[in-house]
Amino acid sequence: MADNTASKTKNSALTGNSAMALAMKQIDPDVCAVYPITPSTTVIEEFSSYVADGAVETEFVTVESEHSAMSACIGASAAGGRAMTATSSQGLALMWEMLYIASGMRLPIIMTTVNRALAAPINIHCDHSDSMGARDSGWIQLYSETVQEAYDNLFQAVKIAEDERVLLPVMVCLDGFITSHAIEVLSLITDDEAKDFVGDYTAKHPLLDTDNPASMGALALPDTYMDFKHVQSDAIAASKEVVIEVGKEFGKRFGREYGLIDTYQLEDADVAIVILNSAAGTTRVAIDELRAKGLKVGLLKPRLFRPFPHAEMVEALKGVKAVCVLDRADSFSGFGGPLFNEVRSALYDMEDRPKIMGRIYGLGGKDYTTENAVAIYEALFDVVKTGKIDTLNDYMGS
Amino acid sequence: MATLKELAGQEELFSGGHRLCAGCGIPPIVRLVLRSAKGPVVATTATGCLEVGSTIYPYTSWKVPWMHSAFENAAATISGIESAYKALKRKGRLPVKPVSDDKDTKFIAFGGDGGTYDIGLQALSGAMERGHNFLYVCYDNGAYMNTGIQRSSATPLGSATTTSPAGSVIPGKEEYRKDITRIMVAHRSPYVAQASPHNWKDLEKKAARALEINGPTFLNVMSPCPLGWYSKPEDSIALAKLSTDTCFWPLYEVDEGVLKISYKPKEKKPIGDWLKLQGRFKHLFKPGGEEIIEKIQLDIDTNWERLLDMDGKLIF
Ligand SMILES: Cc1ncc(C[n+]2csc(CCOP(=O)(O)OP(=O)(O)O)c2C)c(N)n1
């Protein structure tokens, strides 16, 4: 870690949602259009207190649905404002149509996604079905293991989204209840540092420029539609570089540098788990236990899921003999979860690729324990020994 | 108010060359409403004929800033635009400074009856209740025209559409129209009115009044559709007029809660006069249709009496 004495940071004990509300306050967006849903609700409740106390200059729009929340963010962003929202689960699902329009119109909207299972059956607890359902919507997705990461990610999201090379919406995901409602000690940046880091947003062609009227959201026929999509696809692919730059700059300023993926004890590992968000923390504890016994186990935690850091994964998993990808969402393809499929595809061109299997865990808030992680590592050592995977994909613990 | 000559001399904010049909009611409505703002204006449009017909990339008919995002959310989209305006004004960061502090940019959302009465009703209701400063204009052509004349909740009883066809058992749409204008009045909007493009003076006056108010206002405008009504393009404006002469489409306003009828025909015409010029009601002029026409007439009469009763009164 870099020296962070330059920053007047202070430590504070906050829940994930309080930290997100605080980050939003420090960013002071122009428009915040919101609708409540567990477990993201307290983000917008706490933000509304900042509004009520005059701590922000934001126009706070309490819309009548998440569809309208995203629509209002789209209008606000096109108008030239910095727009934000927060949601979970059914709320994100209701936004689905508008997610594609936000990215297709190249609007740098920022959303906190507090991950929660999707109905049916209805369930308010954590899994990643909501954000994974939006994985192909053209949004950049950053995942967060801890409250600290979620807080730090929100500032970086603004800078990434608004970069001229990107101009795409970004969602910052954190685990419902596990991270959103758990109190953690984290290091905060000051309001001034936050403002200075994200800067002012000046849209290039704001709708509110009535002297230079623009038409946005036109109908594109087959002669042009694909070109729009091609440009958008190139932009999200290229955003990786910006994510790296911004992560470095954040590190330089505040002492916590971020990349596209995070690894733990992976360098010399024989077997590894790939996992997103808070469960990476649990996995780290299991790794410490097994390493103490001399077992070479490691972790790869993608921070960026969209765009997918495929090259970085290949690089990081070189030399690993067997990998288990743990998905907190099913893709109902009969062939494993989304993370499994993408990691497996990324590794296809490796010379000496590891054996790779997938497990679905933790749906609807089912606990993921260190014992679970240890069992996975044991299974991976079996794969290394036998050279065979018995069950390619399975549900874990049900 | 502008004279016709003055109007003709004004800059056109919605240009020709668009792909709306000959005889479509939408372009004259949009042109008149945009001019009524008499200053900077930002518009949004729900998915539908107006959107599809006015902006085929890279062309646009809009000489004011305009955006389209989806079908059911014109009111939510304009909420966001207007909110950004408020925030940026407060922060001194508007791209164009307002002419004066009290002369703000105007915000207008346009939607068809489908995008307003049906799929967009929730977003519209929300935006009205929240009190954004905008005018919502519904052009009511009585069906989902863009997708090929399917019924909406604005489709008149008896009308044949492609999802309420006149069959041998069911004679077209069996339900009455939804009275969205009353629903908007119930939102206690400071200004709600019905207008029609044949009476351009009245339409312009109402749009200007709605736009001078700081708050959420609503105009429901009759919009003839030759394609969906199976009528002649050259009859459109006459059909618009007949809709008011028959009191099918009463012209009235509710200004700060006071209802005022804007046009009382000297001699109220029978609804058959309007129906018979439109192919969508053709089946009503065959044996068995009289009953339905009577039913329509009775509904119009009841509604007109109700309006006459309320004329000049504070209704909320
Ligand atoms: C969510 C959604 N559902 C359906 C459609 C298909 N659609 C596009 S326009 C339209 C009908 C529009 O009808 P109306 O609002 O009356 O406007 P008009 O076509 O008459 O201009 C429909 C059903 C859509 N674009 N989006």
Side-chain angles (χ1 to χ4, degrees), chain A residues 59-375:
Chain A
E59 198 59 32
F60 188 60
V61 192
T62 46
V63 283
E64 78 304 325
S65 76
E66 289 87 351
H67 192 284
S68 285
M70 190 43 62
S71 299
C73 283
I74 287 169
S77 185
R82 182 179 274 156
M84 284 191 162
T85 188
T87 195
S88 297
S89 182
Q90 311 305 125
L92 188 63
L94 190 58
M95 284 180 188
W96 196 79
E97 180 194 28
M98 300 318 297
L99 294 177
Y100 284 75
I101 293 172
S103 61
M105 291 183 79
R106 307 295 300 275
L107 300 171
I109 296 162
I110 304 298
M111 170 154 61
T112 294
T113 302
V114 181
N115 287 111
R116 162 181 158 184
L118 285 175
I122 191 164
N123 173 298
I124 59 166
H125 296 282
C126 177
D127 74 36
H128 302 157
S129 308
D130 50 5
S131 58
M132 282 298 160
R135 68 184 183 272
D136 296 341
S137 64
W139 282 60
I140 292 172
Q141 291 191 336
L142 292 171
Y143 284 78
S144 325
E145 180 177 339
T146 60
V147 175
Q148 181 78 67
E149 278 189 27
Y151 172 79
D152 291 350
N153 276 342
L154 203 71
F155 300 105
Q156 294 176 67
V158 174
K159 250 185 127 68
I160 296 163
E162 292 170 5
D163 190 290
E164 250 190 52
R165 293 164 289 174
V166 179
L167 289 175
L168 286 168
V170 181
M171 70 174 79
V172 173
C173 305
L174 61 148
D175 282 347
F177 293 110
I178 303 166
T179 313
S180 69
H181 286 60
I183 294 177
E184 187 184 299
V185 175
L186 74 157
S187 173
L188 303 176
I189 62 177
T190 66
D191 291 2
D192 287 344
E193 286 171 333
K195 290 228 159 59
D196 190 54
F197 181 75
V198 297
D200 271 341
Y201 173 54
T202 310
K204 242 185 160 175
H205 304 289
L207 202 61
L208 292 178
D209 185 355
T210 41
D211 288 346
N212 298 289
S215 287
M216 301 187 192
L219 168 73
L221 295 177
D223 58 337
T224 57
Y225 179 88
M226 194 152 165
D227 299 331
F228 282 111
K229 291 295 134 186
H230 195 171
V231 172
Q232 184 186 338
S233 180
D234 287 350
I236 195 161
S239 72
K240 264 193 211 174
E241 286 313 311
V242 179
V243 177
I244 294 169
E245 272 175 39
V246 172
K248 280 208 174 104
E249 193 194 331
F250 194 88
K252 210 157 45 182
R253 291 205 195 197
F254 310 117
R256 296 181 296 279
E257 183 174 322
Y258 291 89
L260 306 186
I261 58 169
D262 186 23
T263 62
Y264 185 64
Q265 302 281 20
L266 193 60
E267 208 102 291
D268 64 342
D270 291 324
V271 297
I273 283 177
V274 179
I275 201 161
L276 290 165
N277 273 9
S278 68
T282 313
T283 309
R284 288 174 203 268
V285 176
I287 290 172
D288 289 347
E289 280 175 19
L290 296 176
R291 283 270 171 180
K293 294 180 190 159
L295 296 168
K296 291 185 172 171
V297 295
L299 163 78
L300 190 160
K301 181 196 68 165
R303 170 181 177 242
L304 186 71
F305 183 73
R306 279 290 179 270
F308 195 69
H310 56 94
E312 291 74 10
M313 294 222 172
V314 167
E315 201 48 46
L317 290 172
K318 266 185 190 150
V320 175
K321 299 189 181 94
V323 172
C324 181
V325 182
L326 284 159
D327 267 288
R328 204 162 197 154
D330 199 343
S331 62
F332 300 109
S333 65
F335 193 58
L339 186 59
F340 165 76
N341 275 280
E342 304 221 358
V343 173
R344 196 164 189 259
S345 161
L347 302 195
Y348 184 81
D349 287 327
M350 277 175 86
E351 290 285 322
D352 248 333
R353 61 174 174 265
K355 291 273 172 200
I356 176 161
M357 62 188 203
R359 293 292 178 268
I360 297 203
Y361 77 102
L363 299 191
K366 194 175 191 78
D367 251 355
Y368 170 75
T369 61
T370 50
E371 289 77 23
N372 292 145
V374 168

Side-chain angles (χ1 to χ4, degrees), chain A residues 28-31 57-59 61-65 67-68 71-72 74-76 78-80 97-98 101 105 201 206-211 213-219 221 224 228, chain B residues 40-42 51-52 55-57 60 62-70 72-73 76-77 80-81 83-88 90-91 93-96 105 107 122-123 126 130 132:
Chain A
D28 194 0
D30 299 313
V31 176
E57 287 191 284
T58 305
E59 198 59 32
V61 192
T62 46
V63 283
E64 78 304 325
S65 76
H67 192 284
S68 285
S71 299
I74 287 169
E97 180 194 28
M98 300 318 297
I101 293 172
M105 291 183 79
Y201 173 54
L207 202 61
L208 292 178
D209 185 355
T210 41
D211 288 346
S215 287
M216 301 187 192
L219 168 73
L221 295 177
T224 57
F228 282 111
Chain B
V41 124
V42 175
E51 166 260 330
V52 166
T55 60
I56 298 181
Y57 182 83
T60 181
W62 299 84
K63 296 190 178 180
V64 300
W66 171 92
M67 84 177 272
H68 156 256
S69 75
E72 65 282 63
N73 65 351
T77 306
I81 300 170
S83 297
Y85 179 84
K86 277 189 189 146
L88 294 178
R90 195 156 57 228
K91 297 177 178 186
R93 285 184 28 233
L94 281 176
V96 178
T105 295
F107 299 95
Q122 174 183 315
R130 291 192 300 275
H132 294 278

Side-chain angles (χ1 to χ4, degrees), chain B:
Chain B
M1 197 184 26
T3 63
L4 197 53
K5 206 172 156 195
E6 281 162 0
L7 270 185
Q10 283 174 2
E11 190 201 351
E12 203 60 80
L13 299 174
F14 183 84
S15 75
H18 55 70
R19 303 182 196 200
L20 289 156
C21 304
C24 174
I26 302 169
I29 297 170
V30 174
R31 286 161 59 203
L32 266 169
V33 169
L34 288 180
R35 284 153 170 218
S36 312
K38 299 181 189 75
V41 124
V42 175
T44 184
T45 301
T47 311
C49 292
L50 172 56
E51 166 260 330
V52 166
S54 63
T55 60
I56 298 181
Y57 182 83
Y59 303 104
T60 181
S61 280
W62 299 84
K63 296 190 178 180
V64 300
W66 171 92
M67 84 177 272
H68 156 256
S69 75
F71 183 24
E72 65 282 63
N73 65 351
T77 306
I78 204 84
S79 298
I81 300 170
E82 186 259 358
S83 297
Y85 179 84
K86 277 189 189 146
L88 294 178
K89 186 181 174 192
R90 195 156 57 228
K91 297 177 178 186
R93 285 184 28 233
L94 281 176
V96 178
K97 300 278 163 276
V99 191
S100 66
D101 242 14
D102 54 351
K103 190 96 184 67
D104 281 325
T105 295
K106 309 287 185 197
F107 299 95
I108 307 176
F110 292 96
D113 46 285
T116 307
Y117 288 63
D118 291 341
I119 199 166
L121 183 60
Q122 174 183 315
L124 174 59
S125 175
M128 282 279 159
E129 183 273 335
R130 291 192 300 275
H132 294 278
N133 184 24
F134 75 111
L135 164 62
Y136 191 101
V137 180
C138 172
Y139 59 90
D140 184 345
N141 52 27
Y144 303 160
M145 298 309 182
N146 186 50
T147 38
I149 327 167
Q150 295 82 28
R151 96 191 268 289
S152 78
S153 59
T155 302
L157 182 137
S159 178
T161 70
T162 55
T163 52
S164 63
S168 54
V169 177
I170 303 173
K173 192 185 177 226
E174 296 184 292
E175 302 78 22
Y176 290 108
R177 302 173 58 245
K178 185 189 283 181
D179 191 343
I180 192 124
T181 309
R182 280 168 81 186
I183 296 174
M184 289 301 108
V185 171
H187 283 71
R188 303 164 67 130
S189 154
Y191 190 81
V192 173
Q194 288 202 162
S196 168
H198 79 277
N199 192 340
W200 55 269
K201 265 189 193 174
D202 182 64
L203 172 57
E204 201 226 359
K205 201 174 98 197
K206 285 172 174 165
R209 173 71 186 132
L211 286 164
E212 87 189 9
I213 289 170
N214 189 349
T217 54
F218 181 82
L219 280 188
N220 201 7
V221 191
M222 165 53 62
S223 186
C225 171
L227 190 83
W229 292 10
Y230 299 90
S231 56
K232 293 188 189 136
E234 62 270 30
D235 283 350
S236 286
I237 292 300
L239 277 167
K241 180 163 183 342
L242 259 178
S243 76
T244 63
D245 284 337
T246 55
C247 296
F248 170 84
W249 193 263
L251 298 184
Y252 70 100
E253 63 184 7
V254 180
D255 192 336
E256 302 289 357
V258 177
L259 187 142
K260 204 173 130 232
I261 297 176
S262 334
Y263 173 69
K264 291 179 191 167
K266 285 202 186 67
E267 196 192 327
K268 184 156 151 271
K269 297 207 165 131
I271 192 59
D273 288 8
W274 187 63
L275 302 178
K276 71 182 178 212
L277 296 173
Q278 305 174 51
R280 60 177 173 158
F281 298 114
K282 188 173 64 188
H283 54 287
L284 302 185
F285 294 91
K286 290 186 183 144
E290 319 79 24
E291 264 175 50
I292 298 166
I293 296 181
E294 265 170 46
K295 203 173 158 184
I296 301 170
Q297 186 67 60
L298 184 66
D299 183 51
I300 289 171
D301 294 346
T302 313
N303 188 43
W304 182 241
E305 289 302 321
R306 188 184 55 83
L307 280 175
L308 287 172
D309 269 355
M310 291 191 289
D311 193 19
K313 292 190 184 134
L314 183 69
I315 62 164
F316 68 70

